[in-house]
Amino acid sequence: MRADGHAPGRPIKGGHHDDGHHDDGHEAAELLRRAAREVLDTAEGIRAVAARTTAALSAPASGPRRRRTRLSPAARAALLRALTDRWGLGAPPGRDARGLARMLGAGASALGAENLAARAAVTALRLRTAALLTGHPELAREPGVRRLRRALTTHRDRDAVRTLRGLFRDPDAQRSLAGLTALMTELLPVRALLDAEPEDRAGDPEGGPASGPGDAAAESTALTDQERQTIATEGSFLGFLRNIETLSCAGRVLVQNVRGPDGVVRYVLQAPGTAPGRPRDDSPPDVLGAWQEQFTPGSPYTRALLPAVEDHGIPRGADLALIGHGEGGTALLNLAQDPEFCATYRVTHVIAVGSPPHRGKPADPRTWVARVTDEHDIVPAPEGRGRAAEAHPNRYEAEFAGTAREFPRSHTLRGYLEHLRTTAPAVRDDIDRALAPYQGPVVRTQAYRLKNRAHPPDGHPFLTLPTTSLTTTRGPVALPVRYHDSSSAHLCFPADAEAVRALLPHVAWMRPSTPARRAIAVLSLYEHRSSTIGPYTEIVLSVLVDDLWRPRPLDLATDLLRRADLRRTGRYVLSLAVTSEEAQVVAREIWGLPALRAPAEADLMGRHVRFSAPDIGVTVEGRLGPGVRCPEADWVLYGRRGESTVRTLVRTSGRPRLHLGTGLRLRLDTSAAEPMSGQLRKLGADGARPLFVLSCPQSMVHRGAGTVLPR
């Protein structure tokens, strides 16, 4: 029915549609998606045939004579060949096979056979990934897509099956794969066809037992003064969405009491989704939780909402509206399916903005359910294999075309708010009419931080440390800045000492370290996929300098034996570039570094390293050779703020390796004199190969506040 509850509803189109929407690329992507669905259906059919054949072979011989199926030896041998031959169905599912069939299936697997269903599933995933990249080429830079493509592009299907199965079992890989929201509905059936998990554990994305209800908790938390100024004081659809945006996806939900036009107090639970790239502590809403939300109503996020509602003291039988964005909308739709919850409270409305299609239906048939989607947002786009929610008279679907085509911009709540205000006002008005009982003054607002007791904080124990807040021109920043998932490569070049001295500040006490009578320049490449100031890419040019007070010839060598916080030497940063405005502000105002903003692309997770920053004309590409393990690469960075030197300690936790630099080459693609390309040219690094490279494909990092030194 319509949002006002009076007329039959239908999908609503609004916003701006450009004439090129149904272009060749769109049609090609749709053909690939259709082919992927057909191939995956075929794979599931193959698995069903294998299961039935296995059951026939494993049927017990006992029982009434007339019910037994007698197989001749020739027929039994033919079925066994069909199950275990590499040109047939392949090894049968281990949990279904018994007796001789199980033994032969295990033997075939040990000899390298892969079942036909799994190989067909990999083909379907190849097609689906190609369709995703055809419509959204920007996703090729995502680490999860890169790891998935590496697994799928091996020469033989059976090798691809094994590599993909390893990704599904690797917790580190699952973190990046879970970010592929557009492929979630495709990844789970493929994972099952690869036999990567037993059926009774399918709901757990990490392959372990699902957490129980006691693992989820919520505690009331105070909003900051700045947040209280933006929280809506009147009930409205856009006001509730602005509240969700204010929560900043920091593991919090909001409950508000609203006095309606009839004087009755009603309640609104507002739940944010997962912000791409943002880390989580011990909170259920995270990228792995987003995976789990799609396939089990009892996910950690959904369970953690229950104690928040109970703590708020909502009376039994009171009217309750549920409004969420992304993963939050899915968790609320799951909550509305709980018969016990709907028997305790009257869930009148569930509104999901930018959430994937939901397969269930509310426990209370009177609940009004609405989905609002941007057709360019790949999270709610019906491109996967998941079945659409079962139709019922209280469902409202609205879709419009936003201006942002790239993900994750197309998924941000800020974009949805802007379009609901301007280009899709009819959708906003329809939902406001449905929420008419909730339009009135807000008489109480309470935020709750959700907890997941089953898991330690993200990055524990390395990143669980005291924090403080400093104010910048972009707002407050929590320090130390914590990087939960980063890759790095540090290219070390020998340089002329006089050339380095000319680039350092003109102060008498700063001089380059000169082991073997040569200075050392370091070009550091970073891909920060998840940090407390958002995801970004970074390139830093620095040179090693001696102790600012008592420089000694052997300080550089002896400092390697000291703890990082006790080191006297360090790296003076000549220039750096970052890809986000927030990172630029933090570098300039907190660490005293000469940061500029420039686009860059990095791939530092494999043996083949590639980094490109076209605006500053720097490209690094090549293959790392054999390496040896080395200690953690902690650093001391020096910058300048006015007449003072700023010292910043950088701590890392990973598995760094030291490589010879013969396989990499630095290329400068511009004749610009400043800042970074000109400095590299003066150091003689253009076209040069580094002396050695320190690489770390995956690490955690934290950088504290810069300390101002009287130098």
Side-chain angles (χ1 to χ4, degrees), residues 159 206 222 263 403 579:
D159 293 335
E206 298 212 14
T403 56
T579 56

mmCIF file of all heavy atoms in Angstrom, residues 159 206 222 263 403 579:
data_model
loop_
_atom_site.group_PDB
_atom_site.id
_atom_site.type_symbol
_atom_site.label_atom_id
_atom_site.label_comp_id
_atom_site.label_asym_id
_atom_site.label_seq_id
_atom_site.Cartn_x
_atom_site.Cartn_y
_atom_site.Cartn_z
ATOM 1 N N ASP A 159 42.779 -25.296 -9.092
ATOM 2 C CA ASP A 159 43.657 -24.427 -8.309
ATOM 3 C C ASP A 159 42.892 -23.217 -7.802
ATOM 4 O O ASP A 159 43.105 -22.753 -6.677
ATOM 5 C CB ASP A 159 44.845 -23.971 -9.157
ATOM 6 C CG ASP A 159 45.768 -25.121 -9.522
ATOM 7 O OD1 ASP A 159 45.781 -26.116 -8.767
ATOM 8 O OD2 ASP A 159 46.451 -25.030 -10.561
ATOM 9 N N GLU A 206 32.991 -16.523 10.244
ATOM 10 C CA GLU A 206 34.362 -16.916 10.546
ATOM 11 C C GLU A 206 34.500 -18.425 10.706
ATOM 12 O O GLU A 206 35.546 -18.928 11.078
ATOM 13 C CB GLU A 206 34.848 -16.217 11.814
ATOM 14 C CG GLU A 206 34.872 -14.740 11.665
ATOM 15 C CD GLU A 206 35.971 -14.090 12.463
ATOM 16 O OE1 GLU A 206 36.873 -14.767 12.922
ATOM 17 O OE2 GLU A 206 35.912 -12.881 12.616
ATOM 18 N N ALA A 222 26.693 8.961 26.770
ATOM 19 C CA ALA A 222 26.307 10.358 26.588
ATOM 20 C C ALA A 222 26.757 10.866 25.228
ATOM 21 O O ALA A 222 27.825 10.479 24.723
ATOM 22 C CB ALA A 222 26.914 11.217 27.691
ATOM 23 N N GLY A 263 -0.976 13.050 21.661
ATOM 24 C CA GLY A 263 -0.498 13.096 23.038
ATOM 25 C C GLY A 263 0.121 11.812 23.532
ATOM 26 O O GLY A 263 0.647 11.773 24.661
ATOM 27 N N THR A 403 23.126 11.253 -7.907
ATOM 28 C CA THR A 403 24.161 11.786 -8.805
ATOM 29 C C THR A 403 25.499 11.076 -8.649
ATOM 30 O O THR A 403 26.316 11.085 -9.562
ATOM 31 C CB THR A 403 24.353 13.284 -8.546
ATOM 32 O OG1 THR A 403 24.662 13.485 -7.158
ATOM 33 C CG2 THR A 403 23.090 14.045 -8.898
ATOM 34 N N THR A 579 45.619 11.136 0.154
ATOM 35 C CA THR A 579 44.451 11.174 -0.726
ATOM 36 C C THR A 579 43.192 11.674 -0.049
ATOM 37 O O THR A 579 42.148 11.748 -0.693
ATOM 38 C CB THR A 579 44.179 9.774 -1.300
ATOM 39 O OG1 THR A 579 44.015 8.848 -0.220
ATOM 40 C CG2 THR A 579 45.326 9.317 -2.185
#
